[in-house]
Amino acid sequence: MALDKNKQEIHVLLVAIASQGHLNPSLGLAKRLISEGLHVTIATTEIGRHRMLKSSTITSATTSIDGIQLLFFSDGLSLDFDRKANLDFYMESINKFGPINLSKLIKETYPENGQKKLSCIINNPFVPWVINVAVELEIPCAMLWIQPCSLYAIYYRFYNNLNSFPNLDNPEMSVEVPGLPLLLKEDLPSFVLPSNPFHSLAKMVLDVFLNLNKYNWVLGNSFFELEKEAIESMVELCPIRPIGPLVPPSLLIQSHNQGQDQDLGFDMWKAEDICIEWLNKQEPSSVIYVSFGSITILSRKQMEMIAKALKHVKRPFLWVVKPVDSPLPNGDGELPLGFLEEIKELGLIVSWSPQTKVLSHDAIGCFITHCGWNSVLEAIVTGVPVIAYPQWTDQPTNAKLIVDVFHIGSRLRANQDGIVSNDEIEKCIEEIMNGAKSKEVKANAIELTSAAREAVASGGSSDQNIQLFVEEIIGRNCSRVAAW
């Protein structure tokens, strides 16, 4: 009873930028903390509210999702500013105005003389300045690491100069990281490479690791059984507690459910309802699902190669082709002329899909993905084999994990021109769908599905870490109350 009373006093604020891939892990953690009796709010930028309204994730009359309150603050830019095309300027703006506006929002929502006391702030690596807001307001802070724990280990060793990494003098060198197989240049996250063009993002990750000592906890969106060696390699350096997978809870109850309704999540684009209706007409494990996330725009030539491969393999496919914001002069991101007519009896092209519903459908046989970590986890918890086509940031390392650590798929290899040929795509599809490797990767995927369910079940490894986290928040809160 005393514990329940303490929990009533616990308010937690999660902060993330308005990206679907960042907000959904926060939502997953928020639901888990609410199930423990805590009060949880998610704060994101105003552009997030705008996108959620357009996608019908929320309505103008609601400020919550699944019972979790939403708060919004300005990143210093207008709603029509193109943040993707002006990434460095956007990062500069949110780094400048985010702390000011978030601090103001916290003080208004949790006034010093009010009954609500904020007991913990949780941010992720893409809003590293939040830790300084927490320190200034004297509120304990946790970081939710939303990439694999293996990436946490790599970045920690890179920024603390514990290992040698590719440099201008030796750009092709391989890297040995404890707990991981040998990493070639093509397996490393783009931010540690000397060729990395995304300087603002590399600086952002640097800021995270320069300020690790300010955090009270580091939580990982993974589970111990999935990345055991990498997690154990960090115990003596800077431990990370895996509390995932932070996916919709229903995915961890029943992996294939014919596309029934899943838990609500953040969608920045409106999914097409036809996906599930179309999948219901397909044979079990027959469909190739193709999706490269919300950011990737493939070249015109690469789009042609994928289209050609999907026609040649003559298997049903569902391909998510998100429209580009404005047509590019070279045709990048667009389907070949006449393709829709050619495949109308074979496949379905949509602008956005309800991915968790799609992956949990019995008809899905494999998933061709850019290897965003949320997509990888969703494939794991639904037991779907993967064909990896990584692009940037953590995705090359995720692809390495998929093939050589998790053993649940294959990786597409580009030719000397940087293009993955249709022959390479067709070979990988056949290998995963019906080749000698297909039974092995399917069995491994199903085994990891079971391990993920056990991790989040009562007494499982992730459940124990959540319980410990909650107990420590309560303990700190009780100490603060006593001090007052």
Side-chain angles (χ1 to χ4, degrees):
M1 181 67 72
L3 188 61
D4 289 341
K5 183 178 179 181
N6 287 333
K7 285 185 179 180
Q8 291 174 11
E9 308 298 327
I10 304 297
H11 291 264
V12 177
L13 177 68
L14 289 96
V15 185
I17 61 172
S19 165
Q20 186 167 311
H22 297 184
L23 283 168
N24 278 324
S26 294
L27 181 63
L29 177 54
K31 291 177 181 178
R32 188 67 182 84
L33 295 177
I34 283 178
S35 73
E36 293 296 320
L38 308 191
H39 302 270
V40 185
T41 299
I42 294 177
T44 189
T45 50
E46 289 286 354
I47 189 66
R49 188 210 306 260
H50 176 67
R51 291 172 179 166
M52 288 179 220
L53 286 170
K54 288 181 68 176
S55 69
S56 302
T57 299
I58 62 173
T59 68
S60 57
T62 64
T63 55
S64 66
I65 181 170
D66 264 12
I68 298 162
Q69 184 185 4
L70 302 178
L71 297 175
F72 303 93
F73 60 92
S74 172
D75 58 16
L77 299 169
S78 64
L79 293 179
D80 58 359
F81 182 83
D82 190 339
R83 290 158 176 78
K84 190 186 298 184
N86 300 278
L87 182 59
D88 285 343
F89 188 82
Y90 165 56
M91 295 301 296
E92 182 181 332
S93 179
I94 194 172
N95 287 341
K96 179 179 179 180
F97 294 102
I100 298 169
N101 295 327
L102 178 65
S103 182
K104 180 182 178 183
L105 181 66
I106 290 172
K107 291 173 182 177
E108 290 173 350
T109 309
Y110 307 95
E112 289 186 14
N113 298 323
Q115 292 189 348
K116 288 201 306 183
K117 299 291 184 183
L118 187 54
S119 300
C120 180
I121 297 175
I122 304 174
N123 71 332
N124 70 40
F126 293 83
V127 282
W129 45 265
V130 172
I131 183 63
N132 295 322
V133 174
V135 169
E136 179 187 347
L137 299 177
E138 298 182 339
I139 301 170
C141 191
M143 177 172 62
L144 173 59
W145 184 259
I146 60 173
Q147 296 180 348
C149 296
S150 300
L151 263 292
Y152 177 76
I154 291 170
Y155 282 131
Y156 185 92
R157 293 177 179 278
F158 175 74
Y159 288 112
N160 287 282
N161 298 312
L162 299 182
N163 288 72
S164 296
F165 282 80
N167 51 60
L168 292 175
D169 294 328
N170 190 0
E172 300 297 325
M173 75 176 297
S174 55
V175 179
E176 294 186 50
V177 173
L180 291 172
L182 183 69
L183 301 172
L184 305 180
K185 175 188 173 183
E186 65 189 32
D187 304 322
L188 292 167
S190 52
F191 299 161
V192 307
L193 299 176
S195 58
N196 170 50
F198 307 102
H199 300 298
S200 61
L201 294 177
K203 182 183 182 302
M204 173 197 68
V205 179
L206 170 62
D207 289 344
V208 170
F209 286 88
L210 288 178
N211 288 292
L212 271 181
N213 63 316
K214 298 179 182 178
Y215 287 95
N216 301 96
W217 305 273
V218 179
L219 311 173
N221 184 16
S222 187
F223 56 102
F224 180 75
E225 294 75 10
L226 184 66
E227 299 187 86
K228 179 177 182 292
E229 289 78 12
I231 292 165
E232 288 181 333
S233 76
M234 293 303 298
V235 168
E236 299 299 325
L237 297 174
C238 192
I240 182 169
R241 296 183 190 174
I243 57 167
L246 298 173
V247 297
S250 58
L251 291 184
L252 294 159
I253 298 170
Q254 183 178 7
S255 63
H256 290 277
N257 63 357
Q258 296 299 338
Q260 295 173 8
D261 286 341
Q262 304 287 323
D263 314 71
L264 289 175
F266 289 105
D267 272 311
M268 299 300 176
W269 298 273
K270 190 169 181 60
E272 295 191 32
D273 296 332
I274 193 175
C275 294
I276 304 305
E277 179 184 340
W278 182 84
L279 286 171
N280 287 341
K281 300 174 183 177
Q282 311 306 318
E283 295 296 321
S285 302
S286 66
V287 175
I288 305 160
Y289 175 52
V290 187
S291 179
F292 302 114
S294 61
I295 295 176
T296 299
I297 298 177
L298 300 179
S299 69
R300 178 179 181 176
K301 183 66 174 177
Q302 191 61 73
M303 294 290 287
E304 290 174 354
M305 291 298 101
I306 296 171
K308 190 174 182 180
L310 293 174
K311 282 194 301 182
H312 283 184
V313 295
K314 293 183 169 57
R315 294 178 182 273
F317 65 86
L318 170 59
W319 186 2
V320 179
V321 181
K322 187 174 177 293
V324 293
D325 295 331
S326 57
L328 300 172
N330 52 10
D332 288 353
E334 296 180 8
L335 293 167
L337 289 175
F339 180 69
L340 287 174
E341 182 64 24
E342 292 171 356
I343 56 89
K344 63 182 180 181
E345 301 298 327
L346 182 63
L348 177 66
I349 306 291
V350 296
S351 60
W352 199 247
S353 76
Q355 182 158 290
T356 54
K357 291 183 182 181
V358 168
L359 286 173
S360 65
H361 200 288
D362 279 341
I364 298 299
C366 75
F367 180 19
I368 303 179
T369 172
H370 65 308
C371 302
W373 187 236
N374 288 334
S375 291
V376 174
L377 287 177
E378 288 164 5
I380 286 171
V381 300
T382 52
V384 176
V386 173
I387 296 175
Y389 184 34
Q391 303 298 305
W392 70 313
T393 183
D394 62 323
Q395 297 163 17
T397 311
N398 297 350
K400 178 71 172 179
L401 296 174
I402 286 166
V403 177
D404 292 335
V405 178
F406 309 154
H407 304 291
I408 58 169
S410 295
R411 181 173 180 170
L412 296 172
R413 302 290 177 178
N415 59 26
Q416 63 273 17
D417 297 321
I419 299 294
V420 178
S421 70
N422 63 290
D423 288 338
E424 169 73 0
I425 298 168
E426 291 169 39
K427 181 192 76 173
C428 278
I429 290 174
E430 291 301 334
E431 179 182 58
I432 294 300
M433 294 287 281
N434 199 37
K437 195 176 179 179
S438 61
K439 289 185 179 179
E440 177 189 350
V441 298
K442 182 63 176 177
N444 290 337
I446 292 174
E447 184 177 338
L448 287 180
T449 300
S450 297
R453 292 178 184 174
E454 291 174 6
V456 299
S458 179
S461 58
S462 292
D463 178 65
Q464 290 184 43
N465 282 335
I466 282 282
Q467 297 290 343
L468 179 60
F469 176 55
V470 170
E471 289 169 7
E472 290 175 353
I473 294 176
I474 291 170
R476 285 179 177 273
N477 186 72
C478 291
S479 299
R480 292 173 71 198
V481 171
W484 292 333

